[in-house]
Amino acid sequence: SPYLGLRLEPSRSLSGRCLAEGRPLLCHDSEADPRVDAEGCRRTGIRSMIVLPLLREGSFVGVLKLCSPRAGAFVDKDVLVGQLLVG
């Protein structure tokens, strides 16, 4: 339920940046990463995340976000596994 009604400006979110750059992004700590909306992360309990772009027929259509309430939960190897998931 913390996600219901939550709307973030794409330019102020890691998801928006992921789509703009077209590449996976890793956030080790949402409290220290200027690329994320820290207040949105606090509201949803996200402390670290991986955001992966989803492509369909050569166009970006969304993102897959892997989240944890713990800072430093993900490492570069996790990004590689995520890339395998999204193809």
Side-chain angles (χ1 to χ4, degrees):
S1 68
Y3 298 98
L4 293 176
L6 182 63
R7 299 284 182 256
L8 303 175
E9 289 294 321
S11 62
R12 294 182 47 221
S13 74
L14 204 60
S15 296
R17 181 178 228 119
C18 174
L19 286 176
E21 295 181 14
R23 64 184 182 95
L25 298 175
L26 171 61
C27 169
H28 294 286
D29 187 350
S30 61
E31 291 295 322
D33 193 327
R35 303 172 300 166
V36 306
D37 184 309
E39 184 56 39
C41 288
R42 283 184 208 111
R43 180 175 166 188
T44 56
I46 296 171
R47 195 65 191 271
S48 61
M49 68 185 107
I50 298 171
V51 185
L52 302 138
L54 298 174
L55 280 104
R56 181 175 179 171
E57 299 175 5
S59 297
F60 295 111
V61 295
V63 298
L64 173 65
K65 188 181 276 190
L66 308 171
C67 306
S68 174
R70 185 172 53 87
F74 303 107
V75 295
D76 291 335
K77 187 176 181 180
D78 297 317
V79 176
L80 295 174
V81 172
Q83 287 178 291
L84 291 172
L85 289 171
V86 298

